[in-house]
Amino acid sequence: MMWFTNLDIPKRHERLTLTEQYSPDRYPKYDNYDAINVDKVSDIPMDYDGLMGVPITFLQRYNPEQFEVIGELKHGCDNEYDISVPSINGKQTYTRIIIRRIA
């Protein structure tokens, strides 16, 4: 079980250590949205400044000083933050949180 909060607790300031390098072969772009797909939170590239689609488990590691949450790609858009149904090479993918690295 996980409890999410916007209270200013120490965990909220823990930086995610980024070790991966961006490569277009490793991080494909979505067919219908200008962002790259990142399959695991631990694979977020340290040198990519654009939009990234990450698994929803990213929220457990979210640091608002390090990343900006833009919205989500999911099956069945139902509000203004649902951007589109995610697909890569015509194949639908899992729900993704769209983020941008700040620093």
Side-chain angles (χ1 to χ4, degrees):
M1 179 184 264
M2 170 105 359
W3 181 56
F4 295 104
T5 181
N6 62 354
L7 295 174
D8 194 19
I9 59 174
K11 182 163 180 59
R12 192 168 181 223
H13 299 283
E14 292 176 6
R15 294 186 69 80
L16 181 61
T17 302
L18 306 177
T19 59
E20 301 299 319
Q21 297 278 332
Y22 170 71
S23 162
D25 297 331
R26 184 167 179 205
Y27 300 98
K29 287 201 171 202
Y30 295 102
D31 298 336
N32 51 350
Y33 192 72
D34 189 20
I36 62 170
N37 180 62
V38 179
D39 284 326
K40 294 191 269 182
V41 175
S42 61
D43 291 341
I44 295 173
M46 66 178 153
D47 57 347
Y48 189 78
D49 294 325
L51 300 179
M52 298 174 267
V54 297
I56 60 174
T57 55
F58 166 81
L59 294 175
Q60 298 171 17
R61 309 286 302 277
Y62 174 56
N63 176 342
E65 297 162 356
Q66 189 176 16
F67 297 99
E68 175 186 11
V69 173
I70 306 297
E72 67 179 329
L73 294 175
K74 71 176 208 166
H75 305 287
C77 302
D78 59 6
N79 67 52
E80 64 184 294
Y81 301 105
D82 294 349
I83 299 167
S84 183
V85 176
S87 67
I88 299 172
N89 297 323
K91 184 177 178 187
Q92 288 188 355
T93 64
Y94 294 103
T95 297
R96 292 291 191 245
I97 304 296
I98 300 298
I99 62 169
R100 178 182 299 136
R101 193 170 53 84
I102 294 174

